[in-house]
Amino acid sequence: MLFDVVVNNTTYPDILVPLLGHHQTKNCALAMAIAADIIIDIDLASVKQNLANLQWPGRMEILCNDPFVMLDACINRVSCDNVINVLTHLGITKCCTIIGIPDDKDYAGVAHAMSEVAAEIILTKSQNPHYKFTQVQKERLASEGIVAQWTSSIQEALLLARQTTLPTVILGTTSVIAEVKSITF
């Protein structure tokens, strides 16, 4: 994302944030506005250099382009708006969505929100014993009109996703993100 930030009467041109999503430009502008209130003279070259090197693993992170695989730590319906906006910006209108969100979180809200772009929904679980993932998720979604497949691991979910030939979007809790990050794409 390349944009200008205007704070009061000062324009900070050509700010580059190597993160996907319009919301990241808003976050950056807000941070720069706060910094401008605290720091009298912002070193723009230093800000630009630090922002250009910014990485945020598991946040709209593209793991692979061919086949397309994106990873995001989205665990509620509201965050899906940003995911869908990024997919739209990338020209992706249909995808295979893997959801790895525990039973006590908003997995259903994520599935409902993503159903507008998901040709397939695959539910999966983390191997972290502190989280509860059960097939009740699949049953609940089915009762709400959403068809989903259940898998017992992220590896199994990825194998199913690869069979679809669709772009893959993986959404889940931090333990799922960590498991995905351990896989070579």
Side-chain angles (χ1 to χ4, degrees):
M1 307 292 288
L2 182 65
F3 54 100
D4 296 341
V5 174
V6 179
V7 178
N8 299 323
N9 294 326
T10 305
T11 299
Y12 302 99
D14 302 324
I15 303 298
L16 174 65
V17 176
L19 301 174
L20 292 173
H22 183 67
H23 63 288
Q24 298 298 1
T25 62
K26 292 177 184 178
N27 293 342
C28 180
L30 178 60
M32 289 184 70
I34 292 168
D37 280 349
I38 297 170
I39 302 168
I40 294 173
D41 189 25
I42 292 179
D43 178 359
L44 186 57
S46 179
V47 168
K48 285 183 173 184
Q49 179 181 359
N50 286 313
L51 287 173
N53 294 323
L54 183 64
Q55 294 181 7
W56 197 347
R59 294 306 294 179
M60 309 290 181
E61 182 180 5
I62 297 176
L63 300 176
C64 186
N65 282 311
D66 188 21
F68 180 87
V69 179
M70 186 173 83
L71 177 64
D72 193 72
C74 167
I75 60 167
N76 60 58
R77 182 181 209 131
V78 173
S79 296
C80 287
D81 290 343
N82 294 328
V83 173
I84 292 168
N85 287 338
V86 165
L87 292 173
T88 300
H89 177 76
L90 295 173
I92 296 171
T93 57
K94 287 292 174 198
C95 64
C96 177
T97 302
I98 297 173
I99 299 173
I101 300 173
D103 289 6
D104 65 338
K105 303 293 182 212
D106 191 22
Y107 69 88
V110 170
H112 281 281
M114 291 303 293
S115 67
E116 78 179 61
V117 294
E120 292 226 14
I121 293 178
I122 301 170
L123 301 170
T124 194
K125 60 186 252 174
S126 166
Q127 301 310 305
N128 185 329
H130 298 290
Y131 293 108
K132 184 178 177 184
F133 298 82
T134 65
Q135 291 195 44
V136 169
Q137 292 184 15
K138 178 182 173 182
E139 295 162 10
R140 176 180 172 195
L141 292 177
S143 74
E144 297 172 0
I146 295 178
V147 176
Q149 296 182 65
W150 173 262
T151 62
S152 60
S153 70
I154 192 65
Q155 291 85 356
E156 184 183 347
L158 284 167
L159 284 173
L160 283 175
R162 287 184 181 133
Q163 293 172 9
T164 69
T165 69
L166 292 167
T168 301
V169 178
I170 306 165
L171 307 174
T173 190
T174 54
S175 62
V176 168
I177 299 300
E179 290 173 31
V180 170
K181 296 290 286 179
S182 72
I183 297 170
T184 304
F185 285 87

